[in-house]
Amino acid sequence: MLPPAAHGRSYSQASANSQASAKVRKASGGEGRWHDNQHTLVTELAESGAGDEVIMSIAGHVSRATLSRYSHVGMEAKRRALDTTATRQREADEKRKQGMAKEHAAIVEQSVPVE
């Protein structure tokens, strides 16, 4: 869903693209078009971690096939994503091990006869 317009109505995709095109033209000194920078925008959004649905909504893509034609995620972004995932997995494994150790200690404590 696109953000609401300043006057309370919601933007249509055409309106969002028109505004994006205007910003590109202004930034490029009047030479740029929305499509000229769409590959860059889609790639940067993907590398920043934006989800496919968000990117497709912003770019106006209706299929993942179209999204894949516009997204050119670099090797460094892929490495960062894998490193982040590996770090989260190690942290989850460590937390799980700590929880199991606490459970084991509680069971041992309960099973020791009290004299």
Side-chain angles (χ1 to χ4, degrees):
M1 170 121 190
L2 295 168
H7 52 285
R9 296 183 310 186
S10 59
Y11 291 121
S12 68
Q13 187 64 48
S15 175
N17 287 350
S18 176
Q19 287 189 356
S21 293
K23 288 179 182 181
V24 168
R25 276 192 305 279
K26 183 177 179 182
S28 66
E31 299 298 319
R33 295 177 303 151
W34 166 252
H35 190 263
D36 294 339
N37 293 296
Q38 196 169 13
H39 287 265
T40 301
L41 174 64
V42 168
T43 298
E44 288 179 0
L45 286 168
E47 289 183 347
S48 75
D52 288 355
E53 295 298 324
V54 171
I55 298 169
M56 289 169 62
S57 176
I58 290 170
H61 297 159
V62 294
S63 72
R64 294 206 190 286
T66 303
L67 177 62
S68 69
R69 282 195 295 274
Y70 281 84
S71 179
H72 311 287
V73 177
M75 187 58 71
E76 185 57 35
K78 293 174 186 178
R79 283 190 187 113
R80 278 194 313 269
L82 289 171
D83 288 345
T84 299
T85 300
T87 299
R88 287 182 187 158
Q89 187 63 52
R90 281 192 298 273
E91 290 170 355
D93 289 346
E94 185 59 35
K95 189 174 181 178
R96 189 171 31 259
K97 286 178 187 176
Q98 290 173 357
M100 290 173 64
K102 287 180 183 179
E103 287 179 28
H104 179 71
I107 291 170
V108 169
E109 186 177 299
Q110 291 174 355
S111 63
V112 174
V114 178
E115 296 182 22

